[in-house]
Amino acid sequence: MTEDSCCSAPMVLVMPRCADPTKTVRLHQVVDAALGDRPVEKVTLAEEFVPLRGRRILFAVSLGESGVNLEYCRFLKKLRTGGEFLQGCTGVVLVDGNSELYTKSVARELVFAANQAGCAFPGRPLVEGTASLENFNVVAQVLGTSNREAYTRSAVQLVKELEAFAPVRRKEPGILALHASNYATSNTLALWRMVKEHLDGCRIAEINLRNGTVADCAGCSYPTCMHYSEKGSCFYGGPMVEEVYPAIEACDALVMICPNYNDALSANLCAFINRLTALFRKRRFYEKCLFGLVVSGYSGGDIVAGQLISGLNMNKTFRLPDHFAMVETANRPGSIQGIPGIEEKAAAFARRILWWTKEP
């Protein structure tokens, strides 16, 4: 969270070395096409990976059939243990795999670790290539080209978005908090109340998705979904169309209030993400920030935060500010209040929301 971005400094290519160079040929070709003639500083070994400040970073990771790149694991360790290792940085991710698995899970893990280390990410910050490139079937059809060419073009666009990324601030930003909890018993809502107290000069809206008011996505065909989307609606209608869609369109930041239920988002919050597809077909959310408050009774808060990343940042294009999620542990009603320094942490989180959304 800093304005010290070194826009004139070369982009940083973080590309953990793969022990078998034959497995990295395709990734190298895609990276070369994406970067063009831009000057870059390349880092391939963990011992070369030093703290960065305000830099633009392209993470490019090659995975074998196992989905494991040992040098990448060393990079990951530095991100998880280095504090503000990437303060003020912005990043995007390319993952190339030799199987149909692991590319997205590795990318989500990387984005969460880098974000916790101070790195922001634009909406849809991932381009992934599975072994078959079947994941590019739709994009290739839209572009009228091969899957391989669609992969390359997507990587080129990814780097352009990295270069263009900047905070979007309003005089009176709109903050939308979504939850499916009960104020009387919820530690997560108690944490939101602490944060909300410090959000001065904002338009704050809260929507409760409890009691089955949000039916899950029906999986309509693309033409059917587009038909309703063009009218700002959805097959099911109801509160999602009447209340949630307009609130999403009006907000500058979405705060997801997420108690950890069995290491997963609650059913209503999952249904919200799925039902957001109809609105997403009408418009994108690249200028809207995503924040998360995650409270676990025991552990696993990082898993829930990762679901927000994949569902709303990687798929639905919400931008990811640095330290986007506040993750805490509190297992008895009201025990959130007993966490040492929790009020100060909540105030700091509110300042982060304001920095990313409100004009100075």
Side-chain angles (χ1 to χ4, degrees):
M1 192 170 66
T2 177
E3 300 247 36
D4 296 339
S5 294
C6 305
C7 293
S8 60
M11 191 177 292
V12 180
L13 171 61
V14 174
M15 195 171 187
R17 185 179 62 182
C18 178
D20 184 354
T22 63
K23 295 181 179 180
T24 66
V25 172
R26 187 174 70 177
L27 180 60
H28 276 285
Q29 291 171 344
V30 172
V31 167
D32 288 345
L35 291 174
D37 58 0
R38 295 173 179 85
V40 296
E41 295 177 7
K42 187 174 181 180
V43 181
T44 61
L45 299 174
E47 52 263 34
E48 302 168 348
F49 193 34
V50 298
L52 301 170
R53 182 184 178 92
R55 301 293 294 274
R56 310 271 175 172
I57 306 172
L58 171 60
F59 296 97
V61 183
S62 179
L63 301 177
E65 291 82 357
S66 67
V68 176
N69 177 318
L70 294 178
E71 194 64 29
Y72 159 73
C73 293
R74 298 183 182 98
F75 277 80
L76 185 64
K77 180 179 179 180
K78 280 199 169 185
L79 290 176
R80 288 178 172 176
T81 60
E84 292 294 307
F85 200 87
L86 301 179
Q87 183 179 2
C89 292
T90 304
V92 292
V93 181
L94 263 171
V95 180
D96 190 81
N98 287 331
S99 81
E100 303 305 297
L101 305 176
Y102 314 120
T103 52
K104 180 152 288 178
S105 60
V106 168
R108 184 170 70 175
E109 168 190 72
L110 171 57
V111 168
F112 179 71
N115 183 259
Q116 290 291 99
C119 187
F121 290 85
R124 194 165 278 177
L126 168 65
V127 170
E128 55 179 326
T130 62
S132 67
L133 293 184
E134 290 290 310
N135 60 307
F136 278 97
N137 284 349
V138 173
V139 177
Q141 184 177 2
V142 170
L143 294 177
T145 187
S146 67
N147 288 32
R148 175 59 182 270
E149 178 62 19
Y151 183 19
T152 300
R153 289 195 201 179
S154 297
V156 170
Q157 182 60 34
L158 185 71
V159 171
K160 290 180 180 178
E161 290 170 2
L162 173 61
E163 289 182 316
F165 183 82
V168 177
R169 299 185 175 112
R170 315 289 185 195
K171 183 176 181 180
E172 188 184 21
I175 312 298
L176 172 62
L178 284 184
H179 69 90
S181 301
N182 187 327
Y183 263 109
T185 58
S186 173
N187 282 307
T188 323
L189 278 175
L191 180 57
W192 162 240
R193 189 186 292 116
M194 296 180 214
V195 172
K196 183 170 63 172
E197 289 176 358
H198 301 280
L199 293 176
D200 299 325
C202 299
R203 295 177 288 107
I204 299 177
E206 292 183 24
I207 296 180
N208 187 341
L209 302 175
R210 291 188 75 212
N211 301 323
T213 56
V214 180
D216 206 344
C217 180
C220 294
S221 67
Y222 180 81
T224 300
C225 189
M226 280 300 299
H227 169 75
Y228 285 100
S229 175
E230 287 167 359
K231 300 177 181 180
S233 186
C234 173
F235 174 79
Y236 278 124
M240 273 296 292
V241 172
E242 298 161 7
E243 187 177 7
V244 179
Y245 283 2
I248 290 289
E249 292 198 88
C251 80
D252 299 295
L254 172 64
V255 181
M256 296 291 289
I257 300 172
C258 308
N260 178 2
Y261 295 145
N262 301 305
D263 295 333
L265 291 168
S266 69
N268 283 330
L269 294 183
C270 284
F272 154 73
I273 294 173
N274 293 337
R275 289 282 302 281
L276 197 58
T277 299
L279 181 61
F280 176 73
R281 295 198 191 282
K282 176 184 176 184
R283 59 155 302 169
R284 298 295 189 257
F285 308 118
Y286 286 104
E287 293 191 350
K288 299 180 186 294
C289 291
L290 171 65
F291 294 94
L293 296 176
V294 181
V295 178
S296 300
Y298 300 95
S299 63
D302 56 314
I303 297 174
V304 175
Q307 290 173 331
L308 293 178
I309 290 171
S310 56
L312 290 168
N313 167 244
M314 290 181 173
N315 284 288
K316 294 297 190 289
T317 72
F318 284 84
R319 54 178 47 202
L320 204 69
D322 65 290
H323 301 281
F324 93 101
M326 187 174 176
V327 181
E328 301 294 338
T329 302
N331 51 30
R332 297 183 309 280
S335 60
I336 191 79
Q337 306 284 351
I339 296 176
I342 191 64
E343 291 281 0
E344 292 78 8
K345 292 167 73 174
F349 193 75
R351 287 195 296 271
R352 181 166 295 109
I353 294 175
L354 293 174
W355 188 92
W356 278 97
T357 61
K358 187 174 174 57
E359 292 180 358

